[in-house]
Amino acid sequence: MSPIQLEEIWVYPIKSMKGYKVDQVALTTTGLSNDRSMLLVNAQGTFVTQRTQPEMARISVEPYEDSWKLKHKISNS
């Protein structure tokens, strides 16, 4: 079997939101560290995804100090 060569590694901390490219990442028993480790829930406690809220695809997530920074790109159209 030939070794696999990766061109890029991306992690997506919050399910259904944009991710960010990393140079390296730890592999845990559940997958890549910080990859899809969080999700949004509504007031009723039901998780929310792009299936019901497509605009989530425009929210970027990136590490910021000891937390996360979320940004939404506002369209002018």
Side-chain angles (χ1 to χ4, degrees), residues 16 49-59:
S16 294
T49 69
Q50 286 182 32
R51 290 181 192 151
T52 58
Q53 302 296 321
E55 195 65 18
M56 288 178 71
R58 298 179 61 156
I59 301 172

Side-chain angles (χ1 to χ4, degrees), residues 41-47:
V41 296
N42 61 20
Q44 293 73 37
T46 305
F47 71 91

Side-chain angles (χ1 to χ4, degrees), residues 6 40 73:
L6 299 176
L40 292 183
K73 187 172 185 173

Side-chain angles (χ1 to χ4, degrees), residues 12 14-19 49-50 53-61 69-77:
Y12 299 82
I14 303 176
K15 182 173 173 53
S16 294
M17 292 188 188
K18 288 185 174 182
T49 69
Q50 286 182 32
Q53 302 296 321
E55 195 65 18
M56 288 178 71
R58 298 179 61 156
I59 301 172
S60 64
V61 182
K69 182 186 292 186
L70 280 66
K71 295 180 186 175
H72 183 274
K73 187 172 185 173
I74 298 174
S75 153
N76 291 331
S77 52

